[in-house]
Amino acid sequence: MQDKAISIRELYAEPKERKDIIVEGWVRNNRNSGKVGFVTLHDGTCFKNLQIVYSADSPFFAEVAKYKMGSAVEFHGDLVLTPNMPQPFELHLSSAKLLGDVADDYPLQKKKTSFEFLRDEAYLRPRTNTFDAVFRVRSVLALGVHTFFQDRGFVYVHTPEITANDAEGAGQTFTVITNAKDPINDFYGRRASLTVSGQLHVEAFAMAFKDVYTFGPTFRAEKSNTPRHASEFWMIEPELAFADLDDDMECIESCIKFLIRWVMERCPDEMDFFERWIAPGVKTKLQHVLDTPFRKMEYTEGIRILQDAVKNGHKFDNNNIYWGMDLQSEHERYLTEQVVKGPLFLINYPKEIKAFYMRENDDGKTVAAVDLLVPGEGEIVGGSQREERYDILKAKMDKIGNTKGLEWYLNLRKYGGCIHSGFGIGFDRLLMYITGISNIRDTEPYPRTSSALKY
Ligand code: 4AD
Ligand code: MG
């Protein structure tokens, strides 16, 4: 059977009078004054709705007046321009068909529902305004990622989800097993886990294609129950050969700016919605990011500033600031929100708190690492120049004991290695930042966090 309906998206793309059209979708709202009725129809093809008008004179008035919120419907009628109304046009109904009724226990009722409640009804929440906007922006943002890198000649690499290495060495892997009693002698004959990062695998491809990226799901068994941590999240991981930390930061900055612009241009209705209902000021914030060069600051300088802040009476939850500490979100946020008032590259961290693959600086104490910190959120990007010197890397890996199984990774330094750098953007965190949504659980279609796996 042919789908003869026209989409609401098409109607808005070319607003004009149209005779006898068919639309289909779901009822968002239905009210009537006894004389005339209005249905707000949503068909999912764009953020905007279509207003349907039906009059008491029509033979189907009583029937349509009963259509409940959420029901699937088909409407026929004439599209009429309404230059004096908030919406550009409306559909004057000539006939209607109820395609799918809604049972009385439908959880989404008119009253405003909380995000917590909707998380529990994750299979229904894409039907709400907020999640319609969030998940459409998520889709648009994903294309933006590919566009940015593909336009610049980066090759997209599908790195594996099942792996034998803990790329970050942080011990937060999920083990993959078919036989719980003997995971080592199981399917792969060695311990296998879900990937925490595609970086190591993608580095090998950078040594062949120069500029590459991977973009896919990653998994971390972090028990941190925060609004910013998920145990399954998407990461964008570019890797650039013949590039140092400055090249890395240049790429991060242009990528983030490109993606913000990409969404603002393509999703103006959604962004207006976030501005009005979710995070007032979010558009100004993003515009400010576009207009300002990102600042750079040494970790050591950051520590000094935080210590001064404490001396001057600023109270952090953790006031014990010392060189060598891993900064907490509150410290990162102080630097980006209070000091810099904008995005901040914090660079050259103590080597003890960063991953083994980062390049050691000449001071012997720090590594060429970079975190991009943003107001309201803290870290959204982590990257580094990679250790390209075989002996230094081997010594480090031997020390932490992860050489076995990663000989191939070391060999990259032996077989035509070169300086190279890369970074990882938390896709969900970036989406939080752009939409102003404050909990990562509300940016993922079916969020996974510890003790939460309903769907
Ligand atoms: O800083 P991370 O751990 O860096 C890496 O994984 C490197 N291999 C990246 C690279 O250089 N190729 O993670 C990168 C980003 C973080 O900045 C954060 O935005 C996001 O991934 N991230 C998380 N997002 C949601 N939930 C979590 N549990 C996350 N852990 C990291
Ligand atoms: Mg990090």
Side-chain angles (χ1 to χ4, degrees):
M1 197 191 82
Q2 282 269 306
D3 181 3
K4 289 189 245 55
I6 187 166
S7 70
I8 296 179
R9 182 188 176 87
E10 285 172 87
L11 299 181
Y12 276 97
E14 206 190 328
K16 62 172 188 193
E17 307 263 334
R18 295 170 192 261
K19 286 266 171 252
D20 203 19
I21 62 168
I22 307 173
V23 288
E24 54 199 9
W26 295 270
V27 173
R28 274 280 169 89
N29 191 23
N30 187 4
R31 68 201 153 85
N32 73 77
S33 66
K35 287 203 188 81
V36 58
F38 301 95
V39 170
T40 306
L41 184 76
H42 189 76
D43 79 349
T45 61
C46 66
F47 186 68
K48 290 193 176 93
N49 300 314
L50 176 63
Q51 169 145 287
I52 315 287
V53 185
Y54 57 103
S55 94
D57 310 334
S58 60
F60 46 76
F61 182 83
E63 173 66 21
V64 174
K66 281 188 282 189
Y67 288 1
K68 283 177 261 172
M69 183 178 153
S71 46
V73 293
E74 178 183 309
F75 289 138
H76 296 228
D78 295 336
L79 195 74
V80 179
L81 295 179
T82 52
N84 300 324
M85 309 284 252
Q87 72 279 1
F89 43 65
E90 58 194 23
L91 187 85
H92 290 181
L93 197 62
S94 56
S95 72
K97 205 190 282 177
L98 183 62
L99 303 177
D101 200 1
V102 167
D104 287 336
D105 62 355
Y106 187 49
L108 304 184
Q109 297 302 337
K110 246 192 197 157
K111 62 178 178 346
K112 203 166 182 282
T113 34
S114 72
F115 283 0
E116 287 78 11
F117 172 81
L118 289 172
R119 262 172 233 153
D120 210 42
E121 305 291 346
Y123 74 116
L124 295 175
R125 66 180 182 168
R127 304 170 181 213
T128 64
N129 275 331
T130 301
F131 291 96
D132 185 281
V134 169
F135 295 131
R136 195 183 316 276
V137 170
R138 192 175 170 106
S139 161
V140 168
L141 185 62
L143 180 62
V145 169
H146 287 297
T147 306
F148 177 84
F149 289 107
Q150 300 273 339
D151 282 357
R152 281 157 190 75
F154 284 62
V155 170
Y156 178 34
V157 183
H158 286 143
T159 50
E161 297 298 324
I162 298 176
T163 173
N165 69 63
D166 172 2
E168 296 300 300
Q172 296 172 326
T173 54
F174 286 100
T175 302
V176 176
I177 49 168
T178 60
N179 175 5
K181 290 201 187 80
D182 190 4
I184 307 289
N185 298 305
D186 195 21
F187 197 85
Y188 297 103
R190 61 191 292 189
R191 186 177 292 281
S193 57
L194 295 178
T195 188
V196 294
S197 157
Q199 179 195 323
L200 306 192
H201 292 107
V202 94
E203 274 188 56
F205 276 66
M207 293 299 117
F209 292 99
K210 185 170 183 286
D211 293 333
V212 295
Y213 69 108
T214 175
F215 176 27
T218 46
F219 308 86
R220 292 191 189 179
E222 280 178 296
K223 280 251 166 110
S224 356
N225 186 20
T226 80
R228 307 162 58 247
H229 288 88
S231 55
E232 175 175 339
F233 61 97
W234 279 58
M235 204 172 7
I236 306 151
E237 291 187 278
E239 194 69 29
L240 297 76
F242 309 107
D244 64 13
L245 194 66
D246 284 321
D247 299 317
D248 211 28
M249 286 188 275
E250 204 178 283
C251 187
I252 297 173
E253 181 165 348
S254 41
C255 180
I256 296 293
K257 287 182 168 170
F258 176 93
L259 293 175
I260 290 175
R261 206 173 290 119
W262 178 271
V263 169
M264 287 180 87
E265 283 171 10
R266 280 161 186 77
C267 303
D269 298 329
E270 289 83 348
M271 290 311 303
D272 284 345
F273 176 85
F274 297 131
E275 175 72 35
R276 174 142 186 228
W277 298 104
I278 303 293
V282 67
K283 284 172 61 177
T284 322
K285 172 190 86 177
L286 295 175
Q287 192 55 49
H288 175 69
V289 172
L290 293 180
D291 295 341
T292 35
F294 293 5
R295 282 272 300 277
K296 290 177 191 167
M297 185 190 286
E298 298 272 338
Y299 166 92
T300 303
E301 164 82 356
I303 290 292
R304 202 186 48 70
I305 292 174
L306 292 169
Q307 284 171 334
D308 284 350
V310 171
K311 258 187 232 144
N312 293 330
H314 189 87
K315 295 247 181 308
F316 295 108
D317 288 339
N318 173 11
N319 258 340
N320 180 23
I321 312 286
Y322 59 95
W323 196 95
M325 74 184 293
D326 208 355
L327 297 181
Q328 270 118 52
S329 189
E330 54 170 342
H331 307 123
E332 297 176 339
R333 288 184 57 174
Y334 180 83
L335 294 174
T336 162
E337 287 165 19
Q338 310 295 323
V339 182
V340 171
K341 301 184 168 62
L344 168 66
F345 286 126
L346 202 62
I347 59 173
N348 297 331
Y349 284 70
K351 61 179 179 188
E352 282 77 18
I353 58 169
K354 287 292 185 185
F356 70 94
Y357 50 71
M358 298 189 180
R359 190 182 198 279
E360 196 163 306
N361 288 320
D362 292 342
D363 61 13
K365 293 192 306 195
T366 61
V367 286
V370 57
D371 277 0
L372 177 65
L373 314 178
V374 292
E377 210 174 320
E379 177 193 340
I380 55 171
V381 183
S384 63
Q385 184 168 336
R386 318 306 191 191
E387 185 56 79
E388 85 285 7
R389 296 162 296 186
Y390 183 91
D391 294 337
I392 296 179
L393 184 59
K394 175 141 192 336
K396 254 186 159 175
M397 290 173 65
D398 285 346
K399 199 168 153 200
I400 64 168
N402 68 344
T403 314
K404 197 169 171 305
L406 280 179
E407 293 85 358
W408 63 270
Y409 182 71
L410 264 171
N411 286 348
L412 292 173
R413 278 72 188 160
K414 237 171 43 177
Y415 304 149
C418 67
I419 66 158
H420 61 290
S421 301
F423 56 94
I425 306 177
F427 182 72
D428 318 85
R429 291 223 187 136
L430 179 62
L431 186 61
M432 288 170 71
Y433 188 61
I434 291 178
T435 57
I437 291 279
S438 59
N439 196 313
I440 196 164
R441 293 165 181 79
D442 300 323
T443 63
E444 301 184 336
Y446 297 97
R448 270 83 180 89
T449 53
S450 83
S451 310
L453 191 62
K454 179 168 171 186
Y455 294 94

